[in-house]
Amino acid sequence: MKNGKQPNPNVIHPINGYDKEIYIKPTITDPNIIVGDFSYIADTDFESHVTHLYDFIGDKLIIGKFCQIASGVEFILNGANHQMNAVTTFPFYTLEGWDMEPPSMDDLPLKGDTVIGNDVWIGQNAVILPGVHIGDGAIIGANSVVGSNVEPYTIVAGNPARAIRKRFDDELIGYLLAFKWWDKSIEEINDLIPILTSSDLESVKKELRARL
């Protein structure tokens, strides 16, 4: 291992002497936020990037392993949604003095958990809206607003975010989704680095095919 150190998903600062990039998992205090090993954010805090996550709604933010989250990214959860099937969207029930009981959950446009796959790169200042599912290996362009699901190994960008292209052909994507390198041991992943970082994609296909 590099410098005689083994990667440790439970440290907060993975870069010696630099505190503006953190592994997210060991910093989480909210049980409704679930983050996999080695996912990081380019900031000193993660939970401030998650808004409108309320216990009474019960939704979760779930992020896989080895995700790379740039500064300024915001995850908006279902608590941000207002009732839309009535004349007004104004939330009287949240404000003092108004005679309104909270609407039933059936009257709120709740979209379920927000789920980010493994090895997802989310660019600076992107916004992820409630209930979105982003597939493994996807790339989210800077300043994008993601309101729809994103297929694995797809690049999306814009407001609203739209698919630009797939990163690889279907054959390689299939191999990667079957191989699930992020679930290997630290030692196995370390040995796989020459394959995972190679730009010779035909050779990568051959290597993965042989290992499946």
Side-chain angles (χ1 to χ4, degrees), residues 99-119:
D99 291 329
M100 179 189 177
E101 294 299 316
S104 73
M105 290 297 178
D106 291 340
D107 280 331
L108 293 174
L110 305 179
K111 299 182 178 180
D113 295 338
T114 299
V115 181
I116 314 300
N118 304 282
D119 191 24

Side-chain angles (χ1 to χ4, degrees), residues 149-211:
N149 292 347
V150 178
E151 292 295 313
Y153 291 96
T154 300
I155 300 170
V156 303
N159 181 7
R162 301 186 185 282
I164 306 300
R165 62 178 174 83
K166 290 186 176 181
R167 294 178 59 193
F168 313 120
D169 62 33
D170 288 341
E171 182 183 17
L172 180 50
I173 290 174
Y175 290 154
L176 289 165
L177 293 176
F179 189 64
K180 299 182 185 298
W181 66 262
W182 43 82
D183 285 338
K184 310 296 183 186
S185 69
I186 288 174
E187 291 76 15
E188 288 176 295
I189 294 171
N190 195 58
D191 290 340
L192 286 167
I193 286 174
I195 298 171
L196 298 175
T197 59
S198 172
S199 59
D200 183 351
L201 298 183
E202 290 304 315
S203 293
V204 172
K205 284 183 190 178
K206 293 177 182 177
E207 289 281 357
L208 292 179
R209 189 184 304 124
R211 293 166 184 261

Side-chain angles (χ1 to χ4, degrees), residues 2-3 9-10 42 46 51 57-59 70 78 87 90 97 106-107 115 125 128 135 143 160 197-198 204-205 208:
K2 186 177 181 181
N3 300 324
N10 297 312
F46 177 75
T51 62
I57 291 179
D59 57 340
N78 284 283
V87 171
F90 196 84
D106 291 340
D107 280 331
V115 181
N125 298 321
I128 313 301
N143 300 303
T197 59
S198 172
V204 172
K205 284 183 190 178
L208 292 179

